[in-house]
Amino acid sequence: MSVSKPGSDDFLVLRLEVQDFLIFEVGLLDDRKFEEWTDLFTDDGYYWAPATPDQDDPQSSVSLFFDDVPMMRTRFARLRHPRVHSQIPPSRTSHMVSNVTIDGHDATEGEFLIGARFQMLEYRPGHEQRTFGGRYEYQLLRRAAGDFQISAKKAVVLNCDSVHLPIAIPF
Amino acid sequence: MTEFGLIIETTNMNPYLNEHIQALVQPDRVHRDIYEDPALFDLEMERVFGRSWVFVGHESQVPKPGDFFCTRIGLQPVVMTRHSDGKVYVVYNRCAHRGVKVVNEECGNAGRFMCMYHGWTYDTNGDLDFVTQPEGYPDHEFDKVKHGMGRVAQWGSHHGFVFANLSSRAGGMKDWLGENADFLDDVAISAPAGEVEITGGVHRYLYHGNWKMQVENLIDMYHPAYSHESSSAKGGQQFTRRGGDKGGIQFFEKPGRVKSMDGLGTHALPNGHTWQGGLPPVENNSDDHREYVRLLEKKHGPEKTKDILIKKRHNVIFYPNMAMQELNPHIRVIRPLAVDRTEILIYPVKLKGAPEQMFRDQLINLNKTHSPTSLVQTDDVEAFARAQEGIQTSGNEWILLARKGPEERFNSGRIRTTGTSEEGMRNHHRAWLKYMCGET
């Protein structure tokens, strides 16, 4: 599929497809369907939340999250553990995703570069509710209409370089 | 003695006399007040952080003249700088005029420091460079040093690790470091280039608890089987967290068994420093590790290299505010914010001259273990917050630190005992008492 000009019907349909997928994707996190969320990633896919807004590489400095698929599985297996003390009681989240833009398309790879803005409310009983927000950058593979795989998801959180209490759920 | 007499006898409204403070630290227990009384916290900032040597930073954070790095000693803002003379200085981050914090960025490079308020300008060694519109001070003579930002009383470095002391009456850095200097030697020699560098960003996280809880936790080998149960699979296998790990390290055998931890040992040193014996080595056959070994052997020969590769210590505490670990080498800075608020900063330590991939793996492992999203630290943070809440109860005013094992004493003053002994914590509190009730 080629990306038509902004404003064309094709483009609008694609943007809505992507938007629906992103709404579905972050909804899995809010519904605590972490394993299903992990399954959205390609085998070599990764999730990255930089520790500074200008961090351009997850390998030359530390990150809030930099998970490949095996690490996601380890992370979420722990969240399912009956004695995961730092998540008893667990955090509840509400993700919102908007301002979706189609920023690029690699026809040979079938990969789309997607931008979006997000907000995540997080509340763990007994603690102050927190608000995180910022920019998402995705690399999505389109397998069929409305059917995407994530080869990369990057969440640049506005206050990523602040000092944080523990964070359990991906942005 | 009346209450009234008590108050006027002490300075700055401190309600504590030494005899009261001494009663809070007993051989096998400490009073909850040391974790939750704001008046004691204020005293700690003055007496522990104001009298002990304190970790400031590493020289590699200010490599070029004009480089600066802002941090704190206790609650006091300071700047570590590299001056045009090539030397490192530690100066108070305060304008001599009206007390405004002069340097507002965490790090960077500057020719001079100018105060934003009235433009007073300082050299990068903290000396006063000039006062704006000086004709308005006809009766005042300005002195470069006296009206500078003010240097801290003492500072020094060992393999680039910079420590400072706010008290001119305190003993020297070398005496304070004691056998912890040997550890820094071991870290430096484990870098093929013979030196380390602080680079790769910083993990920072907060907890709602007293700063001493983190100090205690770092040499607590009793807690992992329980606190960190969720981050280990059956048989105590943890996720991969160092080079050579296959299914993760055998972190503990199974919940409830702490025997293997006891074998590692706790070493309590003078001045509150404490370290644990190193974790058992794993075989690492990766290309990077082989290249690393080859580089070390080229420089030191096979015999010495074998010794370098044996990690003799796990967490090493530089009491009161720093700890270092050679497993994914990093520095942990403990920054007290208030009696029940503490910030932790984790700085990766790069072994200069080692294969780049080793450092990349180290950073990825530190994301797993030492970030705000860590699979491990988050449970410690939870324990600190619950401890801070639990000690508010009046049913029991004491924190029990009575756990013991056989002890061996060395001439250096070091005590070696079992890994799950609480001797390390008792050692911290003995040092705490020394600073809190001492003269310097």
Side-chain angles (χ1 to χ4, degrees), chain B residues 51-328:
Chain B
R51 291 172 174 177
S52 172
W53 285 82
V54 168
F55 176 73
V56 173
H58 191 269
E59 288 197 34
S60 62
Q61 292 172 291
V62 288
K64 297 185 301 294
D67 285 349
F68 62 86
F69 170 73
C70 289
T71 183
R72 280 187 229 159
I73 295 179
L75 299 179
Q76 305 185 36
V78 297
V79 201
M80 175 174 74
T81 70
R82 174 86 59 180
H83 187 48
S84 51
D85 60 6
K87 290 185 187 143
V88 167
Y89 289 78
V90 182
V91 301
Y92 290 104
N93 194 354
R94 181 217 199 265
C95 182
H97 178 214
R98 299 268 282 271
V100 172
K101 190 171 99 171
V102 178
V103 189
N104 203 43
E105 284 167 296
E106 196 165 316
C107 55
N109 184 278
R112 282 179 286 199
F113 300 134
M114 189 181 83
C115 178
M116 59 153 294
Y117 205 6
H118 304 91
W120 286 34
T121 298
Y122 303 90
D123 286 330
T124 47
N125 62 355
D127 285 356
L128 180 67
D129 191 22
F130 63 85
V131 169
T132 50
Q133 304 176 51
E135 63 281 3
Y137 296 97
D139 308 325
H140 205 85
E141 286 238 357
F142 287 106
D143 178 83
K144 246 162 43 120
V145 177
K146 216 170 98 192
H147 299 97
M149 290 164 71
R151 293 175 199 161
V152 302
Q154 305 186 60
W155 70 95
S157 81
H158 190 73
H159 291 297
F161 294 85
V162 178
F163 301 90
N165 198 311
L166 300 184
S167 167
S168 54
R169 286 177 294 172
M173 182 187 80
K174 213 168 167 253
D175 286 342
W176 171 79
L177 274 175
E179 283 186 275
N180 268 4
D182 304 345
F183 169 69
L184 296 180
D185 297 344
D186 287 356
V187 171
I189 206 172
S190 75
E195 58 180 1
V196 298
E197 183 185 359
I198 302 296
T199 183
V202 56
H203 277 310
R204 42 205 306 175
Y205 56 89
L206 180 75
Y207 69 82
H208 290 174
N210 187 268
W211 65 274
K212 294 187 290 299
M213 292 173 177
Q214 173 69 95
V215 183
E216 290 166 3
N217 172 265
L218 279 163
I219 40 91
D220 184 336
M221 284 296 209
Y222 188 20
H223 81 289
Y226 313 98
S227 292
H228 302 305
E229 194 185 338
S230 66
S231 56
S232 57
K234 284 196 182 87
Q237 288 291 109
Q238 261 216 340
F239 53 90
T240 306
R241 55 189 235 173
R242 61 174 164 174
D245 278 348
K246 299 262 174 358
I249 58 172
Q250 192 75 22
F251 200 47
F252 42 84
E253 285 156 35
K254 63 180 177 185
R257 291 188 65 178
V258 291
K259 240 174 100 188
S260 55
M261 293 305 203
D262 268 337
L264 298 178
T266 296
H267 298 253
L269 281 62
N271 302 319
H273 308 318
T274 307
W275 45 270
Q276 301 153 319
L279 301 178
V282 290
E283 202 179 309
N284 188 342
N285 288 316
S286 70
D287 291 346
D288 310 307
H289 187 73
R290 276 207 295 265
E291 172 63 6
Y292 170 60
V293 174
R294 194 190 65 77
L295 290 165
L296 287 179
E297 282 179 344
K298 204 172 124 194
K299 194 166 173 185
H300 302 290
E303 213 44 39
K304 177 83 183 154
T305 297
K306 211 183 267 176
D307 182 57
I308 291 171
L309 291 173
I310 296 169
K311 297 304 165 200
K312 297 159 194 78
R313 312 167 191 84
H314 188 48
N315 280 311
V316 179
I317 294 173
F318 294 73
Y319 187 85
N321 79 323
M322 193 268 262
M324 195 173 165
Q325 204 180 88
E326 279 194 280
L327 178 71
N328 302 310

Side-chain angles (χ1 to χ4, degrees), chain A residues 64 75 78 83 86 124, chain B residues 203 206 229 367 373 379 382:
Chain A
L64 295 180
R75 181 183 298 283
R78 173 173 173 267
R83 283 173 296 285
S86 59
R124 188 177 162 226
Chain B
H203 277 310
L206 180 75
E229 194 185 338
N367 295 337
T373 72
D379 284 321
E382 179 73 10

